[in-house]
Amino acid sequence: MKKLFVIMLALVVGVAFSVGMGPFETKAEAKTTFVTIGTGGITGVYYPTGGAIAKMVNNKRKEYGIRATVESTGGSVFNINAIMSGDLEFGVAQSDRQYQAVQGIEDWKDKGPQKDLRAVFSIHPETVDLIAAVDANINSLEDLKGKRVNIGNVGSGYRQNAIDALEANGLNWEKDFNAESLKAAEAPGLIQDGRIDAAFYTVGHPSGYYKEASSGTRKIKFVPIENVDGLLAKYPYYAKAVTRVPELYPGAANDKDVPTFGVKATFVTSAKVPDEVVYAIVKEVFDNFEDFKKLHPAYAGLTKQSMLEGLSAPLHPGALKYYKEVGLK
Ligand code: GLU
């Protein structure tokens, strides 16, 4: 009788193990949760940022059972929409885009407020910049008249920044010049080929994009973006900024820092993503903050407290749990 019981128990255990569940499941055998992080073009800073976060979480794969992968995408607006439709679990998005999605304005005017959008933390600062070929004689936004200019792909975060900057300077992108709607990663090559004269982009620094754009044979320069006081008064998410061009991109034809305005990169998710997944990611980044900061030079000025600023969507409960535990909230 005892022998029979042992055999039966062995059978039950065998079955439980073969389907990977049941009373004898251990942590290491628990099923893996796959999450995808939406980023931007590969010469931007979102792509390495997604990689940095994924790397930290994947290091603890055994402990958390999370496997994070990174996807190169069209940028902020694409990422928010893909998170809302459940195609992505996480994404990087500009703070202005997060605000607009929550409010249901600009790109979300027709869809309405994105009620399930959740903030996790903010990351590096981003500036809105315009570069132009030196031979195109563009010294202000006004000089873009009649030129070929990339204002950005639909789905990017920076397209609206370009439109706002132009509007603040009395320009209409649909009438005053030949606007291109290209992905940022394509622009430096097209400037070099002489197919466009200038291009907008909103990105952290230093980025591969500007390194590429400033190291070609066709010289480029950063054009100051001025007359932004009205913009700053109208939109709560914009702040004055400068781009430290001579220090960061010595190949560009600027000998001084360039004035402009900026936003912040933020990390967002959906209310539908489980608390323990968000908690694990936040914990890995914040518990290993000094290691995280070393993963990209754009993070140099980050503090834990600054990473809780610039968020307009409600904090995801998994993130909030961690911030409360460590006294950040
Ligand atoms: N801010 C850009 C956008 O949302 C992306 C910048 C990046 O990829 O680093 O369009």
Side-chain angles (χ1 to χ4, degrees):
M1 194 59 197
K2 203 174 167 199
K3 204 172 170 190
L4 185 63
F5 176 75
V6 171
I7 292 170
M8 280 183 57
L9 183 66
L11 276 173
V12 170
V13 173
V15 169
F17 266 80
S18 65
V19 297
M21 53 177 280
F24 303 97
E25 179 188 66
T26 65
K27 257 201 162 164
E29 290 146 0
K31 84 173 185 354
T32 304
T33 304
F34 291 90
V35 298
T36 306
I37 303 170
T39 60
I42 57 164
T43 56
V45 179
Y46 288 5
Y47 187 70
T49 292
I53 296 169
K55 183 178 170 208
M56 303 208 76
V57 179
N58 291 338
N59 280 343
K60 296 282 180 67
R61 186 171 172 183
K62 287 229 169 75
E63 196 176 323
Y64 297 123
I66 299 171
R67 173 89 182 117
T69 51
V70 171
E71 203 174 287
S72 170
T73 73
S76 296
V77 173
F78 177 93
N79 294 341
I80 291 175
N81 289 337
I83 291 168
M84 292 297 88
S85 65
D87 290 333
L88 292 174
E89 284 71 36
F90 292 93
V92 190
Q94 291 176 199
S95 49
D96 51 328
R97 297 315 213 153
Q98 186 186 135
Y99 179 94
Q100 293 161 2
V102 168
Q103 299 285 322
I105 56 174
E106 303 289 1
D107 281 61
W108 294 274
K109 209 164 51 207
D110 297 336
K111 292 183 186 154
Q114 302 300 294
K115 295 200 177 73
D116 277 350
L117 187 64
R118 291 292 174 271
V120 183
F121 46 70
S122 70
I123 324 169
H124 55 278
E126 301 185 89
T127 58
V128 182
D129 291 291
L130 171 68
I131 50 167
V134 169
D135 60 41
N137 291 321
I138 297 167
N139 297 307
S140 68
L141 268 61
E142 177 83 26
D143 294 339
L144 291 175
K145 282 188 179 153
K147 306 283 185 185
R148 291 158 305 172
V149 185
N150 184 33
I151 63 163
N153 58 298
V154 173
S156 72
Y158 71 97
R159 183 179 170 95
Q160 190 63 43
N161 305 142
I163 293 171
D164 289 345
L166 290 161
E167 218 175 84
N169 283 275
L171 290 170
N172 181 330
W173 66 273
E174 285 165 304
K175 292 195 197 123
D176 293 327
F177 53 84
N178 299 312
E180 299 285 354
S181 301
L182 306 161
K183 285 190 171 174
E186 296 171 45
L190 293 174
I191 293 179
Q192 289 308 316
D193 294 348
R195 286 164 60 197
I196 58 173
D197 305 301
F200 284 94
Y201 194 26
T202 303
V203 70
H205 300 284
S207 70
Y209 175 95
Y210 288 120
K211 284 187 185 160
E212 182 187 347
S214 60
S215 57
T217 47
R218 195 180 184 200
K219 283 277 160 219
I220 63 106
K221 67 182 171 203
F222 284 66
V223 179
I225 300 186
E226 289 178 308
N227 305 318
V228 298
D229 288 345
L231 269 188
L232 267 54
K234 190 167 165 197
Y235 301 115
Y237 39 73
Y238 287 147
K240 269 209 168 129
V242 289
T243 305
R244 303 189 327 269
V245 182
E247 175 194 335
L248 298 169
Y249 310 108
N254 297 80
D255 54 14
K256 280 199 289 259
D257 291 352
V258 177
T260 183
F261 64 105
V263 294
K264 262 185 157 198
T266 72
F267 196 54
V268 293
T269 188
S270 158
K272 295 198 176 84
V273 173
D275 290 6
E276 56 275 17
V277 174
V278 180
Y279 176 87
I281 292 181
V282 174
K283 186 171 167 58
E284 274 321 296
V285 171
F286 279 71
D287 278 0
N288 304 292
F289 190 60
E290 293 309 315
D291 294 334
F292 175 73
K293 273 176 72 172
K294 283 185 204 127
L295 295 177
H296 199 286
Y299 310 153
L302 295 188
T303 64
K304 288 184 180 179
Q305 199 59 54
S306 76
M307 290 178 75
L308 270 69
E309 290 159 8
L311 306 171
S312 32
L315 273 177
H316 191 287
L320 187 59
K321 179 176 178 246
Y322 177 83
Y323 299 141
K324 282 195 168 148
E325 270 174 21
V326 298
L328 278 166
K329 273 278 171 191

